[in-house]
Amino acid sequence: SEDGRVSSVSVQQLIEQISYVNKAKMIDHVGGVEEGAYEIYNCVEKIIKQDILGCEMADLEGKDLGNKEDSTAPEEEVFGDVLWDAHDEQEQMEAFQQASNSTCELGFEKYFERLNDLVAAPAPIPPLLVSGGPGSGKSLLLSKWIQLQQKHSPNTLILYHFVGRPMSTSSESALIIKRLTLKLMQHSWLVSPLTFDPAKLLEEFPRWLEKLSARHQGSIIIIIDSIDQIQQAEKHMKWLIDPLPVNVRVIVSVNVETCPQAWRLWPTLHLDPLNSKDVKSLISAECNSANVKLTKEQEKKLERHCRSATTCNALYVTLLGKMIACVGNTGNIDEILQQCCQCQDTVSLYRLVLRSIQESLQSDKEKGLLREMLCLIGVSHNGVSESELMELYPELTSAVLASLLHSLHKMCLLTYGCGLLKFQHLQAWEMVKLEYMETGENVISAYRQKLVEYFTMQLSQDRVTWRSADELPWLFQQQGDKQKLHKCLLNLFVSQNLYKRGHFAELLSYWQLVGKDKSSMAAEYFDSLKEYEKSSEGEESMICLADLYETLGRFLKDLGLLSQAVAPLQRSLEIRETALDPDHPRVAQSLHQLAGVYVQWKKFGNAEQLYKQALEISENAYGAEHPRVARELDALATLYQKQNKYEQSEQLRKKSFKIRQKAARQKGSLCGFALLRQRALQLEELTLGRDTPDNARTLNELGVLYYLQNNLETAELFLKRSLEMRERVLGCDHPDCAQSLNNLAALYNEKKHYDKAEELYEKALDIRRRALAPDHPSLAYTVKHLAVLYKKMGKLDKAVPLYELAVEIRQKSFGPKHPSVATALVNLAVLYCQMKKQIEALPLYEHALKIYEDSFGHMHPRVGETLKNLAVLSYERGDFEKAAELYKRAMEIKEAETLLIGGKATSRHSSSGDTFSLKSALSPNAFPEHGQR
């Protein structure tokens, strides 16, 4: 109500009932309906992002927020260089939960025994085939058995995949094999390069299975439900016919009609039709839920009807029960029974269900919207969201949509998967085609065109989401429109979205359809990127450009086009070093990717240098026990192993393993259920309003979490609360207060409120200087970010002492001859150059050059970059002869590098520091011109 009082007795009773439900969440709100809805939306969003998706934020405790890009590893880092699609994983979790939803087990005990015998049987043993007609309960059986195995056999590793509708993402063989491989890697903590080439992926999967089976103490069970729905299942699942490791068992389910002939020789568990007892049990369960009582005569009629193979399967009987329950005590049960008994299979019963829903609608307009909804969902790749439906049909009100969806969901027509509406069963989609699309392909094409126009409009507004990337290329492929597909693929953000989510095979198939080979595809992408670069201005735009170049480089590397992969990866590195700090973790990412190309090229010396630089940056940015550090250690270990340096490799592997082990204990499982419990306890304590250090830390974590999701307003609220609580509990000079100040400063920096950020960074620095050791990483962190802020604000005089302090800290932390010290020296030198103090800059560059030469040798790219910077400095001071000599040495290093990679390189490996201010002063023509003078 407007005045805050409860307006009716019924509402008061509802609130009292809810109060007794532990899992309910009450939101106190005074105001209008729209505001209330917005409050609920924010609350649900918070729970989803913070608790359900919170597993990736577990390592934020005690961390400074800093730069958004610094503070959390990209999702692929869970598995080294492997791209993990959280969306696909969530879809599988939902499919499993949906399959196990029924409370009726339909006499499955006898089947459970057979499945248990399979696990216990001596090896070798071929896959077990679970067969049955459509809707016979295969998915239900497998999901229930998986739950029993997880409960009673905790040492058994179960990998499952539930295939959805044919031609959906869940039925793509390359994605299935990739997902299963990643799950194997996850459970074995093996972090190795994984190919995305579909043929190689298929070839390597049995090897991964062999590796893990040798390590795993227990059985490994792989379950693929509806495997016959996979396109070209026999071809893409040929590993099934190979001998499996002794502790591996495979179970696959198929429809009797579509099972490949070669698989019919495998041991088979066939699901029998339901007996009369099970039929009665299923129908009674549905009727009891609606308080509907059947007469003896009605029960007998149902029993007589449900005797044929098509009328006594689980799905048919469930639908039958729902139809009767839906009529309830208000309708004529005998009449609905008569109609149902005329339906001799599930599809015809679904048609009756749909017509009963149509009859319940009030107008022809609503009936038309029902048709539009179902047809659009049917012709889409992976489903359609509610918001998309409402944008496509403005006349569709939220009230009408909610009512329709309630009916369609209740009657097993539609379900949700990752927020998208999909058909709950294949027979429901077959019925919709018969009911609405009998005229054929023209109708399907018209609905597809509607979706094409919708997602094309999104692209024209620069709204590239995972939805447009999933749907639009696929729709063009289905329509056979190669020209539009080609244009869509050249939208760099669409291709990046698909690739970064691991949909490599899908992307490749689209290019094959438009008739482009790998080399021409690479050339077209590179040309598009160069064109895009011309319009890129500003730091954010350049960082985005660097990401696009990196994606292209990785894609080309996965295609085996190593020489063509180098140029985009180097360009990405160059941009990041210029737009960001040379010690920024994104620079380490670029070095790592470039090193991966050299490894494949067998240029191990170059790869080692790059991996070591990436390791150094990661250690400086995150500390020695961060998963990103483990990634670099693993990469170096693999490199040493390839060179037969087994002792060095083993040392690095052990170090990495300890880091990952510790991180795994902190994070819990990938799905984050352990973290979910922890978050729930934390939130419960927060609601009690206690002022404790732990609650203040939790508030800080929540602030960081919202910051990373770019929800800056909410982040600011939590970070301020954290700071206030820490000041009350710990005192204003405590290091934890410095952490909150630092995080708030970073947030204001992001919002371009530089004056506020400056004040808070200065306070944080003051506390940390007094409370921490001179070489403490947190002190170095604040020094670095305040120095960068001063530089951004043009307060160069204030920045100088901080850059000098950064040099001192690195000298104390790493020793005076460490490359990290050289990088800090170069950053200080660049600052002096910006201030026109070349005399002060010169000895710093020379000192940095000496460290780089001693650390990396005289022909290293960092040496070359520092020589180039010295050349610019000499040139500006009028010493043209020395400048020419230094520039010549720099070019010799560059040419040696170019020759090494086959003349394909267009940019450097790595910079010796922040050379942005010097780069424009130097061009290939500068010295010849002055040489002539």
Side-chain angles (χ1 to χ4, degrees):
S1 68
E2 292 297 329
D3 60 359
R5 291 175 298 181
V6 176
S7 56
S8 69
V9 176
S10 59
V11 173
Q12 182 63 51
Q13 288 173 344
L14 176 63
I15 290 172
E16 287 172 3
Q17 288 173 358
I18 289 172
S19 300
Y20 291 106
V21 182
N22 289 332
K23 292 183 180 179
K25 170 72 177 175
M26 288 291 298
I27 299 172
D28 291 328
H29 168 67
V30 178
V33 176
E34 288 84 0
E35 291 172 19
Y38 184 69
E39 288 285 330
I40 294 167
Y41 174 85
N42 280 341
C43 179
V44 173
E45 182 184 45
K46 173 181 170 182
I47 291 166
I48 291 169
K49 288 182 176 177
Q50 177 184 303
D51 293 346
I52 298 174
L53 303 179
C55 57
E56 297 213 354
M57 306 304 172
D59 59 350
L60 289 171
E61 181 178 327
K63 294 286 183 188
D64 278 322
L65 197 153
N67 186 297
K68 181 169 60 174
E69 301 293 350
D70 290 20
S71 302
T72 184
E75 57 199 38
E76 69 252 36
E77 303 240 343
V78 179
F79 300 107
D81 292 329
V82 177
L83 301 169
W84 176 267
D85 189 358
H87 174 271
D88 289 349
E89 189 57 28
Q90 178 67 21
E91 186 178 50
Q92 281 303 306
M93 289 164 62
E94 289 181 13
F96 171 71
Q97 288 161 1
Q98 216 168 77
S100 57
N101 225 4
S102 174
T103 51
C104 299
E105 299 200 358
L106 310 173
F108 280 168
E109 289 78 8
K110 60 183 177 182
Y111 302 129
F112 290 157
E113 287 176 21
R114 179 73 191 279
L115 291 168
N116 292 337
D117 290 342
L118 169 84
V119 176
I125 185 167
L128 177 73
L129 206 63
V130 176
S131 74
S136 57
K138 301 181 291 296
S139 303
L140 177 62
L141 167 66
L142 291 175
S143 60
K144 292 288 186 185
W145 185 71
I146 289 170
Q147 288 177 331
L148 287 173
Q149 285 292 312
Q150 289 171 335
K151 183 178 179 182
H152 299 301
S153 305
N155 288 335
T156 299
L157 170 59
I158 300 178
L159 307 178
Y160 61 79
H161 189 90
F162 287 80
V163 179
R165 204 180 73 189
M167 298 178 74
S168 67
T169 298
S170 66
S171 70
E172 290 174 14
S173 56
L175 283 176
I176 294 170
I177 295 297
K178 187 204 78 172
R179 179 178 169 271
L180 294 176
T181 306
L182 292 180
K183 298 294 276 185
L184 288 172
M185 290 171 72
Q186 175 199 348
H187 285 281
S188 62
W189 288 351
L190 290 168
V191 181
S192 300
L194 182 69
T195 179
F196 281 163
D197 185 304
K200 288 182 184 173
L201 201 57
L202 183 59
E203 188 182 306
E204 288 178 9
F205 179 68
R207 293 177 204 154
W208 280 107
L209 202 51
E210 190 74 48
K211 269 187 190 177
L212 179 57
S213 66
R215 289 168 171 240
H216 187 67
Q217 302 296 315
S219 300
I220 300 171
I221 302 172
I222 298 174
I223 296 169
I224 304 178
D225 180 52
S226 302
I227 194 170
D228 50 323
Q229 301 295 339
I230 296 171
Q231 298 148 44
Q232 297 180 295
E234 276 186 280
K235 176 185 172 184
H236 296 302
M237 296 287 149
K238 61 185 179 185
W239 58 273
L240 288 169
I241 61 175
D242 296 330
L244 297 165
V246 291
N247 57 340
V248 175
R249 301 290 180 271
V250 176
I251 301 168
V252 297
S253 75
V254 294
N255 280 333
V256 177
E257 301 90 341
T258 53
C259 177
Q261 194 62 39
W263 295 359
R264 293 175 189 261
L265 301 173
W266 293 345
T268 302
L269 172 61
H270 187 75
L271 267 60
D272 299 323
L274 298 183
N275 57 38
S276 57
K277 180 185 171 185
D278 290 334
V279 168
K280 187 176 179 180
S281 170
L282 255 181
I283 291 175
S284 296
E286 292 294 341
C287 290
N288 291 340
S289 68
N291 294 321
V292 173
K293 300 290 182 189
L294 297 178
T295 65
K296 293 289 182 186
E297 184 59 37
Q298 288 167 343
E299 285 180 356
K300 284 180 183 176
K301 188 172 185 178
L302 282 170
E303 190 181 331
R304 286 195 299 272
H305 174 62
C306 297
R307 283 181 179 171
S308 72
T310 55
T311 60
C312 63
N313 72 56
L315 178 56
Y316 182 94
V317 175
T318 301
L319 273 179
L320 194 57
K322 285 184 181 295
M323 281 293 288
I324 296 165
C326 197
V327 171
N329 296 311
T330 56
N332 188 332
I333 293 177
D334 286 324
E335 185 182 332
I336 199 70
L337 269 180
Q338 186 64 35
Q339 292 173 3
C340 288
C341 287
Q342 292 171 7
C343 302
Q344 294 303 312
D345 58 41
T346 308
V347 173
S348 57
L349 188 57
Y350 259 129
R351 183 173 263 185
L352 181 63
V353 167
L354 179 64
R355 287 177 179 170
S356 71
I357 294 172
Q358 287 172 331
E359 287 168 12
S360 70
L361 298 177
Q362 296 177 351
S363 66
D364 289 341
K365 180 183 173 182
E366 288 181 6
K367 290 175 186 176
L369 287 170
L370 172 65
R371 172 191 174 123
E372 296 296 300
M373 276 173 54
L374 293 175
C375 291
L376 268 189
I377 292 166
V379 302
S380 68
H381 189 195
N382 289 313
V384 180
S385 72
E386 290 182 35
S387 60
E388 287 166 354
L389 283 172
M390 293 184 76
E391 284 183 16
L392 281 157
Y393 299 101
E395 68 273 25
L396 180 62
T397 64
S398 54
V400 170
L401 178 61
S403 174
L404 287 173
L405 293 180
H406 174 72
S407 301
L408 293 166
H409 189 266
K410 186 174 75 172
M411 298 307 294
C412 300
L413 268 155
L414 294 183
T415 186
Y416 287 92
C418 288
L420 300 179
L421 290 161
K422 309 178 180 193
F423 286 105
Q424 201 165 131
H425 299 280
L426 195 57
Q427 295 93 321
W429 167 227
E430 288 171 3
M431 176 276 297
V432 167
K433 283 193 284 189
L434 286 171
E435 183 74 7
Y436 292 136
M437 299 180 170
E438 280 186 303
T439 50
E441 199 58 40
N442 288 341
V443 180
I444 292 175
S445 183
Y447 281 109
R448 281 190 180 139
Q449 185 57 33
K450 191 169 184 69
L451 285 175
V452 163
E453 288 167 6
Y454 172 75
F455 288 113
T456 302
M457 182 188 70
Q458 284 195 345
L459 287 194
S460 68
Q461 297 169 350
D462 292 331
R463 286 169 61 194
V464 179
T465 62
W466 67 272
R467 287 291 296 134
S468 50
D470 265 2
E471 294 289 335
L472 200 51
W474 183 85
L475 288 164
F476 287 138
Q477 183 191 48
Q478 296 305 304
Q479 289 185 325
D481 195 332
K482 295 181 183 179
Q483 190 177 352
K484 286 184 180 174
L485 175 59
H486 187 203
K487 184 181 176 184
C488 181
L489 293 174
L490 286 175
N491 181 311
L492 299 166
F493 295 99
V494 169
S495 293
Q496 182 187 48
N497 192 296
L498 285 170
Y499 175 78
K500 279 200 155 186
R501 289 167 43 230
H503 291 222
F504 177 86
E506 188 181 343
L507 192 53
L508 206 53
S509 70
Y510 292 145
W511 276 105
Q512 287 166 350
L513 182 69
V514 297
K516 300 288 181 179
D517 62 15
K518 292 178 181 180
S519 294
S520 57
M521 174 179 68
E524 288 196 32
Y525 270 137
F526 204 65
D527 290 343
S528 294
L529 257 175
K530 284 178 181 173
E531 203 59 38
Y532 179 78
E533 185 168 359
K534 290 176 185 176
S535 61
S536 296
E537 292 179 6
E539 186 178 301
E540 285 183 24
S541 182
M542 292 306 288
I543 291 168
C544 175
L545 178 66
D547 290 344
L548 289 169
Y549 269 118
E550 184 188 279
T551 301
L552 175 58
R554 294 179 71 171
F555 183 53
L556 298 179
K557 184 180 78 170
D558 290 332
L559 287 170
L561 302 173
L562 301 182
S563 61
Q564 286 161 281
V566 169
L569 287 174
Q570 286 189 322
R571 183 67 188 124
S572 171
L573 172 60
E574 190 175 77
I575 293 168
R576 282 173 177 167
E577 288 180 324
T578 301
L580 302 167
D581 191 87
D583 293 331
H584 196 285
R586 285 295 180 106
V587 173
Q589 168 78 359
S590 290
L591 292 166
H592 181 94
Q593 295 302 334
L594 200 50
V597 175
Y598 284 123
V599 170
Q600 287 191 26
W601 224 334
K602 299 194 172 9
K603 306 291 184 186
F604 297 137
N606 293 64
E608 183 178 359
Q609 288 176 347
L610 294 171
Y611 278 140
K612 282 181 174 176
Q613 290 172 42
L615 176 62
E616 176 198 325
I617 293 171
S618 298
E619 284 179 334
N620 289 343
Y622 298 107
E625 295 190 341
H626 194 277
R628 283 201 183 186
V629 173
R631 179 183 79 154
E632 304 307 337
L633 291 170
D634 278 318
L636 271 169
T638 303
L639 179 65
Y640 287 143
Q641 193 172 351
K642 288 178 183 290
Q643 296 172 281
N644 300 324
K645 297 177 181 177
Y646 298 114
E647 192 175 334
Q648 287 172 272
S649 175
E650 189 57 28
Q651 285 174 352
L652 295 176
R653 288 258 185 242
K654 284 178 181 175
K655 196 174 175 184
S656 165
F657 185 78
K658 283 180 183 175
I659 295 170
R660 291 186 184 281
Q661 201 172 30
K662 186 176 178 182
R665 281 198 297 270
Q666 288 173 346
K667 282 192 176 184
S669 67
L670 184 70
C671 303
F673 294 120
L675 185 71
L676 184 60
R677 288 194 293 272
Q678 175 194 333
R679 292 282 188 207
L681 287 170
Q682 289 173 341
L683 287 170
E684 190 178 335
E685 286 181 7
L686 283 175
T687 57
L688 298 175
R690 296 175 188 158
D691 277 6
T692 68
D694 281 348
N695 279 352
R697 188 192 66 208
T698 302
L699 287 166
N700 181 67
E701 281 188 26
L702 292 173
V704 171
L705 184 75
Y706 280 107
Y707 179 92
L708 295 172
Q709 292 159 2
N710 213 28
N711 187 341
L712 300 185
E713 303 307 318
T714 310
E716 184 177 357
L717 179 71
F718 278 114
L719 292 173
K720 278 183 174 177
R721 283 181 62 192
S722 171
L723 175 61
E724 289 162 4
M725 192 179 289
R726 281 173 165 171
E727 286 177 339
R728 284 195 299 271
V729 175
L730 304 169
C732 294
D733 292 333
H734 195 278
D736 283 4
C737 293
Q739 184 194 64
S740 291
L741 287 165
N742 205 93
N743 289 348
L744 266 171
L747 182 139
Y748 288 131
N749 188 31
E750 178 83 3
K751 293 171 80 173
K752 295 183 170 52
H753 297 169
Y754 297 132
D755 290 337
K756 283 185 180 179
E758 179 185 4
E759 182 188 348
L760 295 174
Y761 272 137
E762 285 173 347
K763 283 184 181 178
L765 180 60
D766 182 53
I767 295 169
R768 285 180 166 171
R769 264 183 159 158
R770 285 185 279 111
L772 304 176
D775 59 346
H776 196 282
S778 293
L779 177 60
Y781 184 92
T782 306
V783 166
K784 172 182 168 181
H785 284 277
L786 181 54
V788 170
L789 180 64
Y790 282 149
K791 194 173 166 186
K792 192 186 290 183
M793 296 171 75
K795 297 183 178 182
L796 303 186
D797 289 329
K798 277 189 155 188
V800 169
L802 293 181
Y803 274 104
E804 288 172 343
L805 183 56
V807 174
E808 287 175 31
I809 291 172
R810 292 195 188 191
Q811 285 173 334
K812 287 172 183 171
S813 300
F814 305 111
K817 296 181 179 180
H818 195 276
S820 180
V821 174
T823 302
L825 287 166
V826 168
N827 289 339
L828 179 56
V830 168
L831 186 65
Y832 278 135
C833 287
Q834 286 182 330
M835 298 169 75
K836 308 300 182 191
K837 294 184 178 181
Q838 281 83 359
I839 294 172
E840 286 89 341
L842 182 61
L844 298 173
Y845 275 131
E846 288 172 341
H847 189 179
L849 177 64
K850 178 76 168 63
I851 295 173
Y852 283 139
E853 286 179 334
D854 291 346
S855 301
F856 300 130
H858 289 267
M859 296 300 289
H860 191 273
R862 284 202 176 189
V863 173
E865 282 302 315
T866 311
L867 285 167
K868 193 196 290 186
N869 289 340
L870 273 167
V872 172
L873 202 57
S874 300
Y875 173 76
E876 288 176 348
R877 295 178 67 203
D879 192 345
F880 302 131
E881 190 175 335
K882 186 177 180 183
E885 181 190 334
L886 291 167
Y887 187 71
K888 183 183 176 187
R889 279 184 60 196
M891 288 302 100
E892 283 170 358
I893 294 171
K894 181 85 170 178
E895 284 163 14
E897 179 191 351
T898 304
L899 287 171
L900 188 65
I901 60 171
K904 295 289 181 183
T906 59
S907 60
R908 64 185 183 271
H909 279 318
S910 171
S911 168
S912 56
D914 180 6
T915 59
F916 182 73
S917 61
L918 301 175
K919 188 174 68 171
S920 58
L922 194 64
S923 71
N925 299 321
F927 292 104
E929 180 184 332
H930 288 283
Q932 288 163 8
R933 276 177 61 189

